Amino acid sequence: MKETVKNIPTVRLASGEEIPAIGLGTFGSDKYTAEQVGDAVYGAVCCGYRMLDCASVYQNEDRIGNVLERLFQDGVAAREDLFITGKVWNDMHGEGQVIASCRKSLEDLRISSFDLYLVHWPFPNYHAPGCSGDSRNPDSRPFRTEEFMQVWRQCEQLVEMGLTRYIGMSNMTIPKLEAVLPLCNVKPAALELECHPGFQQPELFDYALAHHIQPIGYCPLGSPSRPERDRTAEDVADTAMPEIVRIAKRHNVHPALICLKWAVQRGVIPIPFSVKEPQYISNLKAVTEDPLTDEEMECIRLADKNCRLVKGQVFLWEGANGWEDLWDTDGRIAGS
Ligand SMILES: NC(=O)c1ccc[n+]([C@@H]2O[C@H](COP(=O)([O-])OP(=O)(O)OC[C@H]3O[C@@H](n4cnc5c(N)ncnc54)[C@H](OP(=O)(O)O)[C@@H]3O)[C@@H](O)[C@H]2O)c1
């Protein structure tokens, strides 16, 4: 009999609905197979996870759909117990394509609607799954508000059509949000952003909260298994940061669990990935017990290294200066 974790904390969306304060990531990082990720989803829901972060580009939705069907048949959970997120990939931004992509994902996952559907990246720049870090697509171009809004209007239609309950954005910056939020008929319920102790994005986090948008933190453990294309020599390993290691020793847990406690207590929904049962169970359990003190929270806040891991360089366009352009680091939308 698997251990079931109880009393999982929740967060309240702007709509008033309470959703789980932690979810399971499903990106195998080009390292774990769809079968392994599917098995982890089965085990994770059995032990109490109720939120799943999916995406068509992870190339495992069909396998996860198979698992969801089994979970429902076996009575482990009902569809309405789960909060399932999907994402449209960059090569499906054209007219009608967002809706087609959402339908395909729903079909693969064997569900009739998403709880949350995200625009994975705010531009149509495509790279093939598993490509190398220096590959470039000659069709890549900078963000354009009109182009993004064409995608967002389709997301709004998805809500009208009952294909998702909420819509949201991912990999945005404050200048891009400033450009698009006034134009949205349906406001984003959530914003997925890279977030871990070594890369806390305090301005974007505060901006999201001020606009009643729930932050969801990806790579919450610093993504130790991330693909080669997302690695550079300067990267900081969160679980080796002295502050995290010291606090972990005090709580007698793995440093990864300190990253998760910190995220949940800060108000970010972390979506840690693991296919290893002891890891995903301890990740869930960590946010239900033995919280960090105010002093520990402050110590981690001060330890921010502003070290982005997913730089996104494969999405760069001709003429771009470098990956910083994807993130509008000088406060303006780069290239437009
Ligand atoms: N919106 C976006 O653009 C975007 C981008 C990236 C990711 N995401 C989402 O965010 C999710 C999480 O990000 P991620 O998978 O890159 O990174 P992550 O969750 O920070 O790191 C996952 C890795 O951490 C290790 N780990 C997990 N639990 C552990 C524990 N208790 N103790 C020690 N090590 C542990 C595992 O490494 P080993 O495999 O070595 O055991 C695992 O593969 C993804 O799966 C995906 O759903 C979204």
Side-chain angles (χ1 to χ4, degrees):
M1 182 74 182
K2 277 193 203 305
E3 179 177 2
T4 309
V5 181
K6 300 232 161 47
N7 300 322
I8 295 156
T10 57
V11 297
R12 200 179 283 279
L13 296 178
S15 66
E17 180 174 342
E18 281 187 42
I19 66 168
I22 181 168
L24 182 78
T26 68
F27 174 40
S29 287
D30 307 343
K31 175 175 172 187
Y32 296 107
T33 65
E35 285 68 27
Q36 287 174 296
V37 176
D39 290 349
V41 168
Y42 193 93
V45 174
C46 286
C47 82
Y49 280 84
R50 289 296 176 263
M51 183 187 211
L52 302 173
D53 182 75
C54 301
S56 57
V57 75
Y58 302 160
Q59 297 184 300
N60 53 23
E61 288 185 325
D62 186 46
R63 186 69 199 181
I64 294 175
N66 208 277
V67 163
L68 289 176
E69 209 164 54
R70 266 177 45 225
L71 285 164
F72 301 152
Q73 273 165 9
D74 296 351
V76 178
R79 169 66 188 93
E80 57 272 22
D81 298 332
L82 301 182
F83 192 94
I84 304 179
T85 300
K87 307 186 197 88
V88 62
W89 187 235
N90 310 7
D91 60 340
M92 292 298 278
H93 279 197
E95 200 52 57
Q97 289 185 319
V98 178
I99 293 168
S101 184
C102 180
R103 282 195 194 283
K104 169 78 169 77
S105 289
L106 291 172
E107 197 181 302
D108 285 346
L109 290 165
R110 277 81 137 174
I111 55 176
S112 57
S113 63
F114 278 110
D115 297 283
L116 174 66
Y117 198 66
L118 306 177
V119 182
H120 205 147
W121 287 84
F123 31 64
N125 306 349
Y126 173 78
H127 77 78
C131 73
S132 73
D134 53 7
S135 72
R136 297 283 179 272
N137 181 336
D139 297 333
S140 291
R141 48 189 184 263
F143 171 89
R144 290 191 200 121
T145 301
E146 316 75 61
E147 227 169 27
F148 182 85
M149 288 313 296
Q150 195 187 354
V151 177
W152 193 252
R153 292 286 175 249
Q154 294 182 69
C155 291
E156 291 175 338
Q157 276 182 48
L158 292 174
V159 177
E160 261 171 50
M161 294 162 79
L163 297 181
T164 186
R165 297 193 306 119
Y166 299 104
I167 51 179
M169 302 174 185
S170 169
N171 294 308
M172 291 293 272
T173 62
I174 293 176
K176 292 185 178 92
L177 285 163
E178 284 281 277
V180 303
L181 284 184
L183 307 176
C184 295
N185 297 323
V186 178
K187 301 286 179 210
L191 174 70
E192 207 163 293
L193 71 162
E194 182 179 330
C195 202
H196 41 93
F199 189 60
Q200 304 186 13
Q201 303 217 61
E203 295 85 11
L204 186 56
F205 171 80
D206 288 347
Y207 183 94
L209 288 192
H211 289 80
H212 311 289
I213 302 170
Q214 173 60 46
I216 299 177
Y218 74 69
C219 304
L221 312 175
S223 197
S225 290
R226 66 191 177 282
E228 275 312 311
R229 65 173 176 272
D230 289 328
R231 290 177 190 271
T232 64
E234 301 77 46
D235 291 350
V236 172
D238 292 78
T239 49
M241 283 167 62
E243 299 83 352
I244 301 294
V245 171
R246 201 167 52 238
I247 296 171
K249 282 207 180 107
R250 206 183 292 156
H251 288 260
N252 198 21
V253 294
H254 190 282
L257 307 188
I258 300 302
C259 299
L260 298 176
K261 288 178 194 287
W262 168 78
V264 169
Q265 286 179 234
R266 185 183 182 216
V268 177
I269 300 177
I271 44 171
F273 171 85
S274 179
V275 296
K276 299 170 184 162
E277 189 176 88
Q279 285 184 354
Y280 60 70
I281 293 185
S282 61
N283 290 349
L284 186 62
K285 219 169 157 189
V287 304
T288 67
E289 61 188 18
D290 191 22
L292 302 182
T293 63
D294 290 348
E295 182 239 317
E296 288 165 341
M297 288 294 290
E298 181 62 5
C299 167
I300 298 175
R301 186 182 74 78
L302 295 172
D304 190 1
K305 301 286 178 289
N306 193 26
C307 176
R308 188 186 289 280
L309 301 174
V310 179
K311 298 171 182 71
Q313 65 277 16
V314 289
F315 301 124
L316 282 173
W317 53 89
E318 186 137 4
N321 295 317
W323 63 264
E324 290 83 357
D325 277 4
L326 292 164
W327 305 103
D328 307 329
T329 46
D330 66 359
R332 289 178 306 110
I333 299 177
S336 54

